[in-house]
Amino acid sequence: MNKENFIKALKITVIAILVLVISLVVVLRWKSDLIMARVMASMQDQLVDSLRYTEASMDWFSYFPSTAIHISELRLGSGKTPLIKGGSVDIVIRLLPLLKGQIVINSLQVSNSTIHIVQKDGRWSYEVMKKTEPSDEEAFSTEVRKLVIDNSRVYYDDGKTLQFKLSITSGEFKGGLENEKLDLDIDMNSTIDSLKMDDYVQKEPFPSVLTGQYAFDMKSGLQEYSEWKIENEALHIDASGTILRESDHEVVDMDVSWKKANPELLKKWLPEKMLKTLAQYNLSGE
């Protein structure tokens, strides 16, 4: 093939590729409304609580080779403490199955939102899904393998003795729920803004970086913590073990160690009773 024919063939190839890409974009944009309507209807079909939002749009390119539905001002749940309120959520969907008419969620990205994990009148705010399978055989897969949370707040209240407010700067939770067992790898940069536990009230915010694995068996109530690392300017903690909730008490089997402790900085978070005890001692080193 001479140079002239080669250049001509190359031009034709480039034009053909451009036509295919433009055609694909046109088809995708044409199907956007149909896909969004189907996804949102399928989501609502699986919920026992309300789902509201201000605006929803398709984002074909930010997560390539996946695509995403971007939802603004989402409110999932009802009452004063819905599961998710405000901010935005990106439902990241695998692109190739989507082109075949299948909708498979790859991950959820939550930004600038408020998340309530609250128990009231015997019901948790996260209990928003129907226990039965959706009636639509073509409904999308709800298996989420990754949850990403940025610049969001978590409010926790078990309705008994534990309450806290957590600000998450960035958090990534990889894993999933299978056979009623939640299994996650956690990497999170956050600050505990407030904490009330029994008679303890936290005085100062507690910023930290947390990594580790967490598993929760919904049948047995067993929680497993593996290779947890919590790093703060005043203390580095390593922890592994289990917590089993019985009907009237908890069985805790944890192995906890710490290093790089700064006694003066730690005083900001210690209970008053412990501070009175520590005042009798001089502490130094790590």
Side-chain angles (χ1 to χ4, degrees):
M1 179 183 293
N2 58 37
K3 183 178 180 180
E4 183 179 349
N5 289 336
F6 175 76
I7 294 175
K8 184 177 180 180
L10 182 60
K11 288 181 178 179
I12 294 174
T13 302
V14 171
I15 292 172
I17 292 174
L18 288 175
V19 170
L20 287 174
V21 171
I22 293 171
S23 300
L24 178 61
V25 171
V26 170
V27 170
L28 292 179
R29 290 188 179 279
W30 174 69
K31 294 187 68 175
S32 292
D33 292 342
L34 180 62
I35 292 170
M36 283 193 296
R38 180 183 171 197
V39 171
M40 303 309 290
S42 297
M43 287 180 63
Q44 186 63 72
D45 183 56
Q46 298 185 60
L47 296 173
V48 294
D49 217 323
S50 62
L51 171 67
R52 288 180 285 172
Y53 55 93
T54 302
E55 184 180 0
S57 59
M58 294 293 297
D59 182 352
W60 293 102
F61 304 109
S62 295
Y63 299 94
F64 190 82
S66 295
T67 187
I69 294 179
H70 179 80
I71 303 174
S72 300
E73 295 299 320
L74 174 68
R75 184 184 178 93
L76 175 57
S78 56
K80 296 181 179 180
T81 55
L83 178 59
I84 299 178
K85 178 182 178 182
S88 63
V89 176
D90 286 355
I91 305 173
V92 184
I93 303 169
R94 296 177 189 173
L95 184 56
L96 291 179
L98 182 62
L99 297 177
K100 298 177 182 179
Q102 301 172 349
I103 302 176
V104 180
I105 293 179
N106 191 40
S107 68
L108 289 179
Q109 316 250 1
V110 180
S111 301
N112 304 309
S113 295
T114 300
I115 301 170
H116 296 99
I117 303 177
V118 176
Q119 181 175 221
K120 187 176 181 180
D121 299 327
R123 179 178 179 271
W124 285 94
S125 57
Y126 56 75
E127 295 176 343
V128 296
M129 303 294 291
K130 292 180 180 177
K131 294 184 179 181
T132 57
E133 293 296 324
S135 57
D136 184 3
E137 295 181 357
E138 296 182 353
F140 66 91
S141 170
T142 57
E143 181 180 5
V144 179
R145 301 306 299 177
K146 184 169 72 172
L147 171 63
V148 177
I149 301 177
D150 292 318
N151 300 317
S152 296
R153 298 152 303 283
V154 176
Y155 292 85
Y156 180 93
D157 185 353
D158 68 356
K160 298 177 182 178
T161 60
L162 178 59
Q163 300 175 10
F164 65 79
K165 297 179 182 179
L166 179 70
S167 296
I168 300 177
T169 304
S170 61
E172 187 170 281
F173 307 81
K174 295 181 180 178
L177 178 64
E178 187 174 353
N179 297 325
E180 295 191 60
K181 184 174 182 179
L182 178 66
D183 205 336
L184 295 174
D185 287 337
I186 302 173
D187 187 350
M188 182 172 66
N189 190 324
S190 63
T191 299
I192 301 176
D193 296 311
S194 65
L195 169 65
K196 294 181 181 180
M197 183 170 56
D198 297 320
D199 59 350
Y200 172 75
V201 178
Q202 178 179 307
K203 294 183 178 179
E204 297 281 342
F206 185 86
S208 68
V209 176
L210 183 153
T211 59
Q213 293 81 47
Y214 173 77
F216 176 48
D217 190 322
M218 297 182 180
K219 293 181 179 179
S220 65
L222 180 68
Q223 300 179 73
E224 299 177 67
Y225 301 81
S226 178
E227 298 182 352
W228 274 51
K229 295 182 182 296
I230 303 172
E231 298 183 357
N232 173 273
E233 62 174 345
L235 187 68
H236 287 196
I237 299 174
D238 293 302
S240 294
T242 61
I243 298 177
L244 178 62
R245 176 167 293 182
E246 301 287 359
S247 58
D248 58 349
H249 67 283
E250 287 185 336
V251 179
V252 180
D253 183 8
M254 298 288 291
D255 182 6
V256 181
S257 61
W258 62 86
K259 58 185 178 181
K260 298 184 179 180
N262 186 320
E264 290 303 314
L265 291 177
L266 281 173
K267 288 180 180 179
K268 295 188 294 184
W269 300 292
L270 295 178
E272 292 293 334
K273 293 180 181 179
M274 188 175 291
L275 287 175
K276 292 179 181 179
T277 303
L278 288 178
Q280 307 174 52
Y281 301 89
N282 292 320
L283 303 176
S284 62
E286 294 188 346

